PDB file of all heavy atoms in Angstrom:
ATOM      1  N   ILE M   2     -22.969  -7.477 -40.031  1.00 89.00           N
ATOM      2  CA  ILE M   2     -21.899  -6.837 -40.783  1.00 89.00           C
ATOM      3  C   ILE M   2     -21.312  -5.709 -39.944  1.00 89.00           C
ATOM      4  O   ILE M   2     -22.037  -4.894 -39.388  1.00 89.00           O
ATOM      5  CB  ILE M   2     -22.440  -6.254 -42.116  1.00 89.00           C
ATOM      6  CG1 ILE M   2     -23.060  -7.351 -42.973  1.00 89.00           C
ATOM      7  CG2 ILE M   2     -21.335  -5.524 -42.875  1.00 89.00           C
ATOM      8  CD1 ILE M   2     -22.076  -8.374 -43.478  1.00 89.00           C
ATOM      9  N   CYS M   3     -20.012  -5.669 -39.878  1.00 92.00           N
ATOM     10  CA  CYS M   3     -19.344  -4.599 -39.134  1.00 92.00           C
ATOM     11  C   CYS M   3     -19.630  -3.251 -39.788  1.00 92.00           C
ATOM     12  O   CYS M   3     -19.378  -3.077 -40.973  1.00 92.00           O
ATOM     13  CB  CYS M   3     -17.844  -4.868 -39.105  1.00 92.00           C
ATOM     14  SG  CYS M   3     -16.903  -3.526 -38.361  1.00 92.00           S
ATOM     15  N   PRO M   4     -20.154  -2.281 -39.023  1.00 89.00           N
ATOM     16  CA  PRO M   4     -20.453  -0.966 -39.605  1.00 89.00           C
ATOM     17  C   PRO M   4     -19.202  -0.150 -39.889  1.00 89.00           C
ATOM     18  O   PRO M   4     -19.270   0.864 -40.565  1.00 89.00           O
ATOM     19  CB  PRO M   4     -21.316  -0.292 -38.529  1.00 89.00           C
ATOM     20  CG  PRO M   4     -20.941  -0.966 -37.263  1.00 89.00           C
ATOM     21  CD  PRO M   4     -20.556  -2.380 -37.622  1.00 89.00           C
ATOM     22  N   VAL M   5     -18.085  -0.588 -39.375  1.00 89.00           N
ATOM     23  CA  VAL M   5     -16.847   0.172 -39.567  1.00 89.00           C
ATOM     24  C   VAL M   5     -16.140  -0.275 -40.843  1.00 89.00           C
ATOM     25  O   VAL M   5     -15.789   0.538 -41.690  1.00 89.00           O
ATOM     26  CB  VAL M   5     -15.917   0.021 -38.352  1.00 89.00           C
ATOM     27  CG1 VAL M   5     -14.619   0.787 -38.561  1.00 89.00           C
ATOM     28  CG2 VAL M   5     -16.625   0.514 -37.098  1.00 89.00           C
ATOM     29  N   CYS M   6     -15.951  -1.571 -41.001  1.00 93.00           N
ATOM     30  CA  CYS M   6     -15.158  -2.066 -42.130  1.00 93.00           C
ATOM     31  C   CYS M   6     -15.939  -3.010 -43.040  1.00 93.00           C
ATOM     32  O   CYS M   6     -15.391  -3.502 -44.017  1.00 93.00           O
ATOM     33  CB  CYS M   6     -13.894  -2.753 -41.619  1.00 93.00           C
ATOM     34  SG  CYS M   6     -14.212  -4.325 -40.808  1.00 93.00           S
ATOM     35  N   ASN M   7     -17.199  -3.258 -42.721  1.00 94.00           N
ATOM     36  CA  ASN M   7     -18.067  -4.106 -43.541  1.00 94.00           C
ATOM     37  C   ASN M   7     -17.680  -5.578 -43.571  1.00 94.00           C
ATOM     38  O   ASN M   7     -18.160  -6.325 -44.419  1.00 94.00           O
ATOM     39  CB  ASN M   7     -18.186  -3.575 -44.973  1.00 94.00           C
ATOM     40  CG  ASN M   7     -18.945  -2.272 -45.020  1.00 94.00           C
ATOM     41  OD1 ASN M   7     -19.943  -2.102 -44.329  1.00 94.00           O
ATOM     42  ND2 ASN M   7     -18.465  -1.330 -45.807  1.00 94.00           N
ATOM     43  N   ALA M   8     -16.828  -5.984 -42.689  1.00 95.00           N
ATOM     44  CA  ALA M   8     -16.513  -7.408 -42.592  1.00 95.00           C
ATOM     45  C   ALA M   8     -17.701  -8.142 -41.971  1.00 95.00           C
ATOM     46  O   ALA M   8     -18.451  -7.581 -41.165  1.00 95.00           O
ATOM     47  CB  ALA M   8     -15.272  -7.618 -41.741  1.00 95.00           C
ATOM     48  N   GLU M   9     -17.844  -9.379 -42.340  1.00 94.00           N
ATOM     49  CA  GLU M   9     -18.914 -10.175 -41.757  1.00 94.00           C
ATOM     50  C   GLU M   9     -18.444 -10.753 -40.431  1.00 94.00           C
ATOM     51  O   GLU M   9     -17.338 -11.265 -40.324  1.00 94.00           O
ATOM     52  CB  GLU M   9     -19.321 -11.290 -42.711  1.00 94.00           C
ATOM     53  CG  GLU M   9     -20.595 -11.969 -42.259  1.00 94.00           C
ATOM     54  CD  GLU M   9     -21.241 -12.797 -43.357  1.00 94.00           C
ATOM     55  OE1 GLU M   9     -20.875 -12.619 -44.526  1.00 94.00           O
ATOM     56  OE2 GLU M   9     -22.092 -13.610 -43.019  1.00 94.00           O
ATOM     57  N   ILE M  10     -19.297 -10.634 -39.442  1.00 92.00           N
ATOM     58  CA  ILE M  10     -18.957 -11.120 -38.109  1.00 92.00           C
ATOM     59  C   ILE M  10     -19.787 -12.353 -37.810  1.00 92.00           C
ATOM     60  O   ILE M  10     -21.020 -12.312 -37.796  1.00 92.00           O
ATOM     61  CB  ILE M  10     -19.217 -10.026 -37.051  1.00 92.00           C
ATOM     62  CG1 ILE M  10     -18.293  -8.843 -37.333  1.00 92.00           C
ATOM     63  CG2 ILE M  10     -18.980 -10.567 -35.639  1.00 92.00           C
ATOM     64  CD1 ILE M  10     -18.622  -7.624 -36.512  1.00 92.00           C
ATOM     65  N   LYS M  29     -17.799  -7.596 -31.289  1.00 92.00           N
ATOM     66  CA  LYS M  29     -16.455  -7.101 -31.554  1.00 92.00           C
ATOM     67  C   LYS M  29     -16.007  -7.644 -32.890  1.00 92.00           C
ATOM     68  O   LYS M  29     -16.113  -8.839 -33.154  1.00 92.00           O
ATOM     69  CB  LYS M  29     -15.503  -7.544 -30.447  1.00 92.00           C
ATOM     70  CG  LYS M  29     -14.094  -6.985 -30.609  1.00 92.00           C
ATOM     71  CD  LYS M  29     -13.284  -7.289 -29.355  1.00 92.00           C
ATOM     72  CE  LYS M  29     -11.850  -6.855 -29.368  1.00 92.00           C
ATOM     73  NZ  LYS M  29     -11.415  -5.778 -30.160  1.00 92.00           N
ATOM     74  N   CYS M  30     -15.525  -6.734 -33.733  1.00 92.00           N
ATOM     75  CA  CYS M  30     -15.073  -7.140 -35.056  1.00 92.00           C
ATOM     76  C   CYS M  30     -13.627  -7.614 -34.993  1.00 92.00           C
ATOM     77  O   CYS M  30     -12.759  -6.913 -34.463  1.00 92.00           O
ATOM     78  CB  CYS M  30     -15.207  -5.964 -36.018  1.00 92.00           C
ATOM     79  SG  CYS M  30     -14.587  -6.318 -37.660  1.00 92.00           S
ATOM     80  N   GLN M  31     -13.406  -8.782 -35.527  1.00 90.00           N
ATOM     81  CA  GLN M  31     -12.043  -9.317 -35.513  1.00 90.00           C
ATOM     82  C   GLN M  31     -11.164  -8.634 -36.552  1.00 90.00           C
ATOM     83  O   GLN M  31      -9.939  -8.637 -36.445  1.00 90.00           O
ATOM     84  CB  GLN M  31     -12.071 -10.828 -35.802  1.00 90.00           C
ATOM     85  CG  GLN M  31     -12.904 -11.635 -34.824  1.00 90.00           C
ATOM     86  CD  GLN M  31     -12.396 -11.557 -33.408  1.00 90.00           C
ATOM     87  OE1 GLN M  31     -11.192 -11.543 -33.179  1.00 90.00           O
ATOM     88  NE2 GLN M  31     -13.303 -11.480 -32.455  1.00 90.00           N
ATOM     89  N   GLU M  32     -11.782  -8.060 -37.563  1.00 93.00           N
ATOM     90  CA  GLU M  32     -11.005  -7.471 -38.650  1.00 93.00           C
ATOM     91  C   GLU M  32     -10.408  -6.128 -38.252  1.00 93.00           C
ATOM     92  O   GLU M  32      -9.232  -5.897 -38.430  1.00 93.00           O
ATOM     93  CB  GLU M  32     -11.895  -7.286 -39.891  1.00 93.00           C
ATOM     94  CG  GLU M  32     -12.348  -8.597 -40.520  1.00 93.00           C
ATOM     95  CD  GLU M  32     -11.168  -9.371 -41.109  1.00 93.00           C
ATOM     96  OE1 GLU M  32     -10.257  -8.732 -41.665  1.00 93.00           O
ATOM     97  OE2 GLU M  32     -11.171 -10.597 -40.999  1.00 93.00           O
ATOM     98  N   CYS M  33     -11.257  -5.236 -37.746  1.00 92.00           N
ATOM     99  CA  CYS M  33     -10.773  -3.883 -37.465  1.00 92.00           C
ATOM    100  C   CYS M  33     -10.613  -3.643 -35.965  1.00 92.00           C
ATOM    101  O   CYS M  33     -10.049  -2.633 -35.563  1.00 92.00           O
ATOM    102  CB  CYS M  33     -11.718  -2.841 -38.069  1.00 92.00           C
ATOM    103  SG  CYS M  33     -13.365  -2.827 -37.350  1.00 92.00           S
ATOM    104  N   GLY M  34     -11.120  -4.538 -35.152  1.00 91.00           N
ATOM    105  CA  GLY M  34     -10.918  -4.414 -33.713  1.00 91.00           C
ATOM    106  C   GLY M  34     -11.925  -3.525 -33.011  1.00 91.00           C
ATOM    107  O   GLY M  34     -11.906  -3.421 -31.796  1.00 91.00           O
ATOM    108  N   TYR M  35     -12.825  -2.888 -33.769  1.00 90.00           N
ATOM    109  CA  TYR M  35     -13.847  -2.070 -33.142  1.00 90.00           C
ATOM    110  C   TYR M  35     -14.927  -2.947 -32.527  1.00 90.00           C
ATOM    111  O   TYR M  35     -15.257  -4.008 -33.061  1.00 90.00           O
ATOM    112  CB  TYR M  35     -14.509  -1.147 -34.167  1.00 90.00           C
ATOM    113  CG  TYR M  35     -13.795   0.150 -34.365  1.00 90.00           C
ATOM    114  CD1 TYR M  35     -12.689   0.230 -35.191  1.00 90.00           C
ATOM    115  CD2 TYR M  35     -14.230   1.304 -33.712  1.00 90.00           C
ATOM    116  CE1 TYR M  35     -12.022   1.431 -35.371  1.00 90.00           C
ATOM    117  CE2 TYR M  35     -13.562   2.503 -33.883  1.00 90.00           C
ATOM    118  CZ  TYR M  35     -12.472   2.561 -34.715  1.00 90.00           C
ATOM    119  OH  TYR M  35     -11.817   3.739 -34.885  1.00 90.00           O
ATOM    120  N   SER M  36     -15.483  -2.438 -31.453  1.00 90.00           N
ATOM    121  CA  SER M  36     -16.678  -3.070 -30.943  1.00 90.00           C
ATOM    122  C   SER M  36     -17.830  -2.096 -31.144  1.00 90.00           C
ATOM    123  O   SER M  36     -17.640  -0.889 -31.216  1.00 90.00           O
ATOM    124  CB  SER M  36     -16.522  -3.466 -29.476  1.00 90.00           C
ATOM    125  OG  SER M  36     -16.013  -2.411 -28.717  1.00 90.00           O
ATOM    126  N   PHE M  37     -19.017  -2.607 -31.277  1.00 91.00           N
ATOM    127  CA  PHE M  37     -20.166  -1.752 -31.516  1.00 91.00           C
ATOM    128  C   PHE M  37     -21.399  -2.389 -30.911  1.00 91.00           C
ATOM    129  O   PHE M  37     -21.459  -3.597 -30.680  1.00 91.00           O
ATOM    130  CB  PHE M  37     -20.365  -1.483 -33.011  1.00 91.00           C
ATOM    131  CG  PHE M  37     -20.448  -2.728 -33.848  1.00 91.00           C
ATOM    132  CD1 PHE M  37     -21.684  -3.285 -34.165  1.00 91.00           C
ATOM    133  CD2 PHE M  37     -19.300  -3.336 -34.299  1.00 91.00           C
ATOM    134  CE1 PHE M  37     -21.762  -4.426 -34.933  1.00 91.00           C
ATOM    135  CE2 PHE M  37     -19.367  -4.489 -35.070  1.00 91.00           C
ATOM    136  CZ  PHE M  37     -20.600  -5.033 -35.383  1.00 91.00           C
TER     137      PHE M  37
HETATM  138 ZN1   ZN H 101     -14.724  -4.212 -38.610  1.00 55.28          ZN
END
Side-chain angles (χ1 to χ4, degrees):
I2 301 294
C3 174
V5 179
C6 71
N7 292 319
E9 191 164 345
I10 297 170
K29 184 171 178 26
C30 177
Q31 302 298 322
E32 293 294 323
C33 65
Y35 273 81
S36 48
F37 54 94

